[in-house]
């Protein structure tokens, strides 16, 4: 591998310096933070809520658990985990983007969720937590925006307790050609148009569509998780593989 390729990565379909990607992703989410929840509902026709509920159900969280909701954005998973872990537990809502964290904090406080939630601005590649800190780590629709996914997965593995588990909910590869073609048409025609109308930002939603296509497919992500030490790694396709839920354990 040449030095050049070692120093570059993809930002959607563009090739950029690795040092630039964090800033470019930050711009996207600063731009869309205020309308993020509304756009999620519109883009997925509300199905993202079903995917997230399923992730919660598969997480096996219990009262007293310590949970990291990584790239947790506006706090959908954190809100549900907060109620499950109770007063003796803790949920850390972590995101690299302070605009998203502020929206999430305001939303959860409006819901009356205080006390067992912490808010931390953090880069997934270098998590600022001690080894063996969490029973469960979730990352929902965030991994594809990380520059070095292997480094992020290794960082997550480090902060999980032995017996802990990671759940990655992420856009993936549709399982049939017909669905794939329909999904492509929707992603590259309707998504940027909706972004333009709702957030006055078509470019960010063009990036999101491209970033989904550049994300590793189901089997590749499974291998990446195994490569940093996760065991009993499995995945479940949701909505025909448009989204997949990966799960792995640290023993």
């Amino acid at each position: 591998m040449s030095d050049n390729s070692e120093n570059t990565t993809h930002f959607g379909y563009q090739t950029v310096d690795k040092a630039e990607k964090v800033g470019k992703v930050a711009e996207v989410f600063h731009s869309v933070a205020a309308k993020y929840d509304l756009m999620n509902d519109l883009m997925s026709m509300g199905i993202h809520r079903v995917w997230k509920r399923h992730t919660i159900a598969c997480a096996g969280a219990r009262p007293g658990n310590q949970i990291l909701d990584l790239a947790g954005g506006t706090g959908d998973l954190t809100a549900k985990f907060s109620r499950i872990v109770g007063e003796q537990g803790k949920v850390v809502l972590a995101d690299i983007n302070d605009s998203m964290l502020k929206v999430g904090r305001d939303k959860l406080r409006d819901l009356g969720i205080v006390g067992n939630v912490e808010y931390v601005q953090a880069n997934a590649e270098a998590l600022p937590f001690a080894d063996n800190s969490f029973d469960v780590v979730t990352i929902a629709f965030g991994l594809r925006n990380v520059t070095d996914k292997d480094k992020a997965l290794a960082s997550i593995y480090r902060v999980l307790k032995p017996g802990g588990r990671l759940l990655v909910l992420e856009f993936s590869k549709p399982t049939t050609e017909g669905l794939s073609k329909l999904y492509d048409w929707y992603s590259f025609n309707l998504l940027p148009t909706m972004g333009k109308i709702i957030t006055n930002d078509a470019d960010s939603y063009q990036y999101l569509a491209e970033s989904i296509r550049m994300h590793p497919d189901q089997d590749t992500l499974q291998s990446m998780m195994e490569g940093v030490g996760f065991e009993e790694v499995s995945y479940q396709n949701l909505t025909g593989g448009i989204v997949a839920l990966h799960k792995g354990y640290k023993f």
Side-chain angles (χ1 to χ4, degrees), residues 38-197:
L38 172 62
M39 279 297 294
N40 276 351
D41 281 332
L42 292 173
M43 287 188 301
S44 72
M45 292 164 281
I47 298 172
H48 77 100
R49 297 180 183 277
V50 177
W51 298 330
K52 289 170 181 172
R53 278 199 298 271
H54 182 67
T55 302
I56 297 284
C58 291
R62 296 188 298 276
N65 276 173
Q66 308 287 305
I67 295 181
L68 173 60
D69 180 11
L70 185 57
T74 59
D76 283 348
L77 295 183
T78 293
K80 292 180 171 62
F81 280 135
S82 170
R83 296 186 177 104
I84 292 170
V85 303
E87 291 181 6
Q88 303 305 312
K90 183 176 74 173
V91 185
V92 176
L93 172 54
D95 203 289
I96 198 171
N97 188 282
D98 63 324
S99 296
M100 295 288 283
L101 271 181
K102 286 172 184 169
V103 171
R105 186 169 56 232
D106 289 346
K107 183 170 86 174
L108 296 190
R109 286 177 178 170
D110 287 346
L111 292 171
I113 296 171
V114 293
N116 67 351
V117 176
E118 276 184 29
Y119 302 89
V120 177
Q121 188 171 358
N123 185 331
E125 296 176 24
L127 292 171
F129 308 111
D131 296 0
N132 309 319
S133 293
F134 297 100
D135 299 286
V136 178
V137 177
T138 57
I139 180 166
F141 306 114
L143 186 61
R144 73 181 187 283
N145 297 310
V146 174
T147 303
D148 190 329
K149 296 171 181 59
D150 291 308
K151 190 181 287 187
L153 290 169
S155 186
I156 292 167
Y157 186 86
R158 178 185 64 78
V159 303
L160 270 171
K161 295 177 182 179
R165 54 213 165 276
L166 165 65
L167 292 96
V168 180
L169 180 66
E170 188 55 270
F171 292 109
S172 202
K173 301 293 184 279
T175 54
T176 67
E177 186 177 347
L179 181 59
S180 185
K181 287 180 178 176
L182 179 64
Y183 183 47
D184 280 348
W185 179 85
Y186 171 78
S187 298
F188 290 102
N189 290 280
L190 291 189
L191 281 195
T193 301
M194 279 195 281
K196 176 69 174 172
I197 294 168

